[in-house]
């Protein structure tokens, strides 16, 4: 018999015997949001990890009995108790409760799971909870899933798209077919930058978030359910460990129905997250940074392309474009993507003093240098791997390590961020680069980008870094915090950068180098809107032809699209003027130079504003628009316009009194833009000949 919870906005019905949500009705519209109540995907799946078997999928534990033992019909809270059967590994005696609570007013449900281990042994589990399936919003082709894959994916018609070959082929963020259900799972914090998802149409959505103040490793799971009726599912994975007679209580999981699209979900998550995540504290001059000059072409694939003595000349090339932030990678033994973490200057490139002289040249000119360090990988071919690397590595049950390979012959073991030995090695490297070479920035590659894994090191024979399997995120948090403190003792203006982004990591870094899968629904506004105080660095150079399957038109279209997106997001441009632009790219190179000058001309305004995406934009036609509001003076508005397709049009903004208005176009030159008052606000008239412009408005 189904059990019902309700408030003035929401009614939910749960069937305790099969642990499925059978009905979810939003009373304001009267809509039933469960379109298929019989997907066979329950609220809870339990799996036990076997400490003696290597490389196997954890075995599912059957639930012997479920029953509601407390709760008032139509009231605000219920409990479902359960017991677990033997998992074939050992005699199990697990009992637990699923708790559900509905908010007094808001259309919000809180879910929480309790598990008690009544056995005489330690137990490692994986828990899929809560899983809500059979969802639908009645407009499949106009429905979207906002997922925090890196800086954000926004997938139209996810129920259909997740079944496509495109998504089944998407590397580490792919969907996997499990019977009639297609599952996409990304782990937080790294591959997933935040701990929430939002399934929505334009006017109505479903937010689902894990509100864990301890920031443990979490799998975000989204499902395309092709069972009785095409529908959507959302859920989470956790990795609890229970000692004898110990009880584990999950973090709270929040499901909330909201009006509007994913922006409403972002505000729900931010409202919670900012209670625990501090804003970054960086030197003031970094707020006005607008470009970074990356050099990965020193030593790679066994070839020396530049030496340390070339650093001054390379720096001057970027300086011709106004870029004084020099980023150096491939400087280490073996070159780029080889012999990590042996971060000593490669002899092939020159002496350590030549490297120091190059950095000193940049610093003396008022520039800054950031050094690349990979925060994830240890080359298994190094003699020190057996002594150090294996002990620091993430372990599967049984002691196997994760091996990864990139574009070089090197095979790398994935290191565990919770290993104190690995943390200490990376921190000392960063301190050394600041002290010895005058580095101001340290870039930890892969830290916010690569897939996080649970580590079962404490199950292996040698226990060199005992910790909880969920400590991946907490390990990197400790590394970032302690490294930043240490390098600022050497240089108070020092800073950290990471690859891609993570909400908890952002409080300790200046810039997050943001990228995503080409042609995979990337939508960086999701992260930027949720955490506008976190600076994004965006690659704006053209793609290699190999990255777009030889399609030159697509390569050009993506270039104009990406550099426009970087402007709208107020991102720092990641660009080397003499790389990635070849014969025939003269027009793109000119456009890049003009866009960079425009970005430089508004650096001070970007620094004084926060990003609100399209809040306050009433209409925009086919023009790309972003809206910024002054942090200290909300009467100041910045409107960034992207019109690279040359269609022009009108942009209407919510009403306020205009005291003054200015506009800058390509090259940063002041231009005139017609505007007028309307019944709803003000209307900007964007001529088609302006491919990009920024408008500043002082209002009252």
């Amino acid at each position: 018999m189904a059990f019902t919870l309700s408030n003035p906005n929401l009614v939910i019905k749960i069937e305790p015997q099969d642990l499925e949500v059978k009905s979810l009705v939003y009373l304001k519209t009267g809509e039933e949001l469960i379109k298929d109540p019989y997907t066979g995907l329950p609220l809870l799946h339990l799996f036990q990890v076997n400490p003696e078997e290597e490389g196997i999928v954890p075995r599912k534990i059957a639930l012997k009995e479920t029953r509601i033992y407390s709760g008032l019909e139509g009231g605000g809270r219920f409990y479902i108790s359960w017991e677990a059967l033997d998992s074939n590994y050992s005699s199990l005696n697990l009992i637990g409760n699923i708790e559900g609570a509905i908010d007094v007013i808001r259309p919000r449900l809180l879910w929480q799971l309790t598990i008690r281990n009544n056995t005489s042994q330690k137990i490692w589990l994986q828990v899929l909870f809560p899983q809500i399936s059979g969802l639908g919003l009645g407009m499949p082709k106009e429905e979207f899933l906002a997922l925090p894959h890196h800086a954000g994916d926004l997938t139209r018609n996810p129920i259909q798209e997740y079944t496509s070959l495109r998504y089944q082929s998407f590397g580490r963020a792919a969907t996997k077919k499990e019977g009639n259900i297609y599952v996409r799972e990304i782990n937080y914090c790294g591959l997933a930058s935040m701990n929430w998802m939002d399934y929505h149409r334009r006017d109505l959505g479903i937010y689902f978030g894990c509100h864990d103040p301890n920031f443990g490793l979490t799998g975000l799971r989204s499902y395309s359910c092709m069972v009785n009726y095409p529908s959507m599912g959302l859920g989470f994975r956790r990795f609890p460990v229970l000692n004898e007679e110990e009880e584990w209580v999950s973090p709270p999981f929040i499901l909330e129905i909201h009006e509007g699209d994913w922006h409403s979900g972002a505000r729900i998550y931010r409202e919670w997250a900012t209670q625990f995540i501090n804003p970054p504290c960086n030197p003031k001059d970094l707020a006005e940074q607008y470009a970074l000059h990356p050099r990965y072409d020193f030593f790679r694939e066994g070839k020396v392309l530049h030496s340390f003595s070339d650093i001054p000349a390379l720096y001057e090339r970027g300086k011709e474009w106004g870029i004084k932030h020099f980023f150096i990678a491939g400087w280490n033994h073996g070159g780029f993507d080889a012999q990590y973490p042996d971060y000593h200057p490669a002899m092939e490139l020159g002496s350590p003093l030549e490297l120091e002289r190059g950095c000193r040249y940049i610093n003396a000119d008022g520039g800054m240098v950031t050094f690349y360090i990979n925060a994830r990988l240890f080359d298994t071919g190094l003699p020190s791997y057996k002594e150090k690397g294996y002990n620091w590595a993430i372990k599967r049950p049984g002691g196997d390590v994760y091996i990864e390979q990139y574009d070089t012959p090197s095979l790398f073991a994935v290191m565990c961020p919770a290993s104190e030995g690995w943390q200490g090695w990376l921190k000392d490297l960063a301190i050394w680069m600041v002290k010895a070479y005058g580095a101001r920035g340290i870039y930890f590659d892969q830290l916010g980008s690569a897939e996080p894994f649970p580590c079962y090191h404490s199950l292996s024979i040698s226990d060199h870094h005992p910790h909880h399997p969920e400590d991946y995120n907490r390990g990197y948090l400790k590394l970032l915090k302690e490294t930043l403190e240490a390098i600022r003792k050497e240089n108070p203006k020092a800073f950290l950068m990471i690859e891609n982004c993570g909400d908890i990591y952002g409080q300790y870094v200046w810039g997050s180098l943001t990228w995503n899968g080409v042609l995979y629904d990337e939508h960086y506004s999701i992260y930027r809107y949720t955490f506008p105080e976190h600076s994004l660095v965006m690659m704006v150079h053209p793609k290699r032809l190999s990255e777009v399957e030889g399609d030159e038109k697509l390569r050009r279209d993506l270039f104009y699209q990406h550099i426009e997106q970087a402007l709208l997001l107020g991102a720092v441009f990641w660009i080397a003027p003499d790389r990635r632009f070849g014969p025939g790219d003269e027009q793109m190179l000119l456009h890049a130079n003009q866009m960079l000058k425009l970005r430089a001309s508004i650096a001070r305004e970007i620094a004084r504003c926060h990003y609100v995406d399209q809040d306050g934009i009433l209409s925009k036609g086919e023009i790309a628009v972003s809206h910024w509001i002054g942090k200290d003076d909300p009467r100041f508005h910045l409107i960034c316009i992207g019109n690279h397709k040359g269609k022009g049009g009108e942009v209407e903004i919510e009403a306020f009194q205009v005291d003054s208005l200015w506009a800058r176009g390509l090259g940063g030159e002041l231009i005139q833009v017609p505007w007028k008052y309307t019944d709803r606000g003000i209307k900007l008239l964007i001529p088609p000949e302006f491919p990009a412009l920024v408008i500043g408005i002082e209002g009252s």
Side-chain angles (χ1 to χ4, degrees), residues 360-664:
R360 186 167 7 118
Y361 177 91
I362 294 171
N363 290 332
D365 190 57
M368 66 179 80
V369 182
T370 293
F371 274 87
Y372 173 105
I373 295 175
N374 191 293
R376 180 177 177 88
L377 303 177
F378 201 118
D379 193 326
T380 58
L382 291 176
S384 55
Y385 172 70
K386 289 184 179 179
E387 178 187 351
K388 293 184 181 296
Y390 178 78
N391 292 330
W392 295 346
I394 293 178
K395 301 298 190 304
R396 301 174 187 264
D400 284 352
V401 302
Y402 289 90
I403 297 294
E404 296 180 348
Q405 186 174 18
Y406 294 85
D407 295 328
T408 67
S410 297
L411 297 177
F412 296 104
V414 177
M415 296 295 99
C416 179
S419 163
E420 292 187 358
W422 181 239
Q423 291 172 7
W425 182 258
L426 293 175
K427 182 176 72 172
D428 285 352
L429 283 170
I431 296 169
W432 175 57
M433 299 311 296
V434 173
K435 291 181 69 170
Y437 299 111
R440 185 174 171 190
I442 299 295
Y443 171 82
F444 283 133
D445 195 36
Q446 295 194 280
L447 192 148
S449 187
E451 184 173 6
F453 299 117
C455 179
Y456 294 99
H457 198 121
S458 55
L459 291 178
S460 61
I461 297 173
S462 60
D463 193 0
H464 292 270
H465 62 270
H467 60 81
H468 195 283
E470 292 185 346
D471 277 348
Y472 184 102
N473 307 334
R474 294 185 279 262
Y476 271 147
L477 268 178
K478 183 172 181 283
L479 168 69
L480 291 171
K481 181 177 184 295
E482 293 184 357
T483 301
L484 185 62
E485 291 172 351
I487 62 176
R488 283 193 174 163
K489 288 179 181 177
E490 304 298 331
N491 179 355
K493 291 188 175 182
F495 61 87
L496 297 175
M497 292 179 62
I498 61 173
E499 183 185 11
N500 258 303
C501 39
D503 53 8
I504 51 176
Y505 306 146
Q507 56 194 324
Y508 299 115
V509 306
W510 161 69
S512 296
L513 175 59
T514 307
W515 63 271
N516 215 334
V518 178
L519 306 180
Y520 278 94
D521 308 326
E522 58 189 27
H523 201 77
Y524 302 157
S525 298
I526 294 172
Y527 188 86
R528 186 63 156 146
Y529 182 82
T530 312
F531 291 97
E533 61 271 34
H534 294 178
S535 297
L536 299 185
V537 180
M538 284 186 60
M539 299 179 182
V540 298
H541 46 234
K543 298 287 184 184
R544 297 184 181 92
L545 269 175
S546 60
E547 294 177 289
V548 291
E549 299 180 350
D551 189 331
E552 180 60 41
K553 181 180 183 302
L554 177 60
R555 174 176 173 267
R556 292 178 182 275
D557 288 346
L558 287 174
F559 164 74
Y560 287 106
Q561 175 185 320
H562 288 169
I563 201 166
E564 177 180 276
Q565 182 185 31
L567 177 71
L568 267 61
L569 291 171
V572 176
F573 285 17
W574 169 282
I575 186 169
D578 61 339
R579 297 185 64 232
R580 299 287 190 94
F581 294 95
D585 290 342
E586 291 79 12
Q587 191 60 41
M588 288 197 295
L589 186 64
L590 175 62
H591 185 74
N593 181 272
Q594 294 295 297
M595 287 287 279
L596 182 61
K597 289 179 178 178
L598 173 57
R599 176 64 180 87
S601 73
I602 60 165
R604 184 167 298 177
E605 283 74 23
I606 291 291
R608 64 179 279 209
C609 294
H610 67 265
Y611 175 83
V612 296
D613 197 14
Q614 294 180 20
D615 289 355
I617 304 297
L618 300 174
S619 63
K620 63 182 186 65
E622 296 187 43
I623 296 173
V625 181
S626 69
H627 184 194
W628 300 68
I629 298 177
K631 297 173 184 175
D632 299 322
D633 183 3
R635 296 172 300 175
F636 178 74
H637 298 258
L638 199 67
I639 310 296
C640 296
I641 303 290
N643 181 39
H644 76 276
K645 295 181 180 179
K647 294 188 176 181
E650 300 176 342
V651 175
E652 191 171 11
I653 308 168
E654 281 182 346
F656 55 85
Q657 179 67 38
V658 175
D659 294 336
S660 65
L661 183 148
W662 54 261
R664 293 186 181 274

Side-chain angles (χ1 to χ4, degrees), residues 192-210:
S193 60
M194 300 176 286
N195 217 348
W196 65 282
M197 304 169 276
D198 199 273
Y199 171 50
H200 61 273
R201 62 186 193 224
R202 182 182 60 82
D203 61 335
L204 186 69
I206 302 170
Y207 165 90
F208 211 9
C210 175

Side-chain angles (χ1 to χ4, degrees), residues 231-249:
S231 61
M232 198 72 204
L234 303 171
F236 296 90
R237 184 193 299 265
R238 294 298 297 241
F239 306 85
V241 177
L242 286 83
N243 291 308
E244 178 184 354
E245 301 297 327
E246 186 177 19
E247 186 174 88
W248 175 79
V249 180

Side-chain angles (χ1 to χ4, degrees), residues 169-379:
S169 306
F170 189 16
R172 59 194 180 193
T175 56
K176 297 178 181 179
K177 191 173 187 293
E178 299 177 3
N180 291 325
I181 296 177
Y182 295 78
V183 183
R184 189 181 186 200
E185 182 167 356
I186 57 174
N187 282 348
Y188 168 87
C189 182
L191 197 56
S193 60
M194 300 176 286
N195 217 348
W196 65 282
M197 304 169 276
D198 199 273
Y199 171 50
H200 61 273
R201 62 186 193 224
R202 182 182 60 82
D203 61 335
L204 186 69
I206 302 170
Y207 165 90
F208 211 9
C210 175
H211 290 194
D212 179 8
N214 295 311
F215 308 114
L217 178 67
T218 306
L220 284 75
R221 294 169 60 85
S222 47
Y223 313 87
S224 174
C225 306
M226 297 295 180
V227 185
N228 305 297
Y229 180 91
S231 61
M232 198 72 204
L234 303 171
F236 296 90
R237 184 193 299 265
R238 294 298 297 241
F239 306 85
V241 177
L242 286 83
N243 291 308
E244 178 184 354
E245 301 297 327
E246 186 177 19
E247 186 174 88
W248 175 79
V249 180
S250 78
F253 299 91
I254 302 297
L255 184 145
E256 183 164 346
I257 314 302
H258 60 76
E259 296 182 3
D261 62 10
W262 64 263
H263 293 83
S264 299
R267 290 190 289 270
I268 294 170
Y269 185 73
R270 179 176 174 82
E271 178 185 24
W272 168 80
T274 50
Q275 300 175 69
F276 305 97
I277 299 173
N278 296 318
C281 182
N282 286 305
K284 291 183 179 180
D285 65 319
L286 294 178
E288 295 187 20
Q289 282 286 298
Y290 58 86
L292 182 151
H293 179 186
R295 303 304 309 201
Y296 280 73
D297 54 346
F298 279 84
F299 187 18
R300 62 186 302 160
E301 299 177 1
K303 299 176 182 177
V304 174
L305 303 174
H306 292 291
S307 64
F308 294 144
S309 61
D310 295 329
I311 289 176
L314 292 173
Y315 167 74
E316 291 294 337
R317 291 183 196 174
K319 187 179 169 184
E320 291 174 3
W321 278 43
I323 308 173
K324 300 181 72 173
H325 187 166
F326 191 79
F327 180 101
I328 179 170
W331 56 274
N332 56 286
H333 279 184
F336 184 68
D337 274 357
Q339 297 188 29
Y340 298 156
D342 186 357
Y343 287 104
H344 291 86
M347 290 183 65
E348 293 88 340
L349 305 182
S351 71
L353 271 180
E354 284 180 295
L355 176 57
E356 188 274 337
R357 290 188 196 106
C359 296
R360 186 167 7 118
Y361 177 91
I362 294 171
N363 290 332
D365 190 57
M368 66 179 80
V369 182
T370 293
F371 274 87
Y372 173 105
I373 295 175
N374 191 293
R376 180 177 177 88
L377 303 177
F378 201 118
D379 193 326

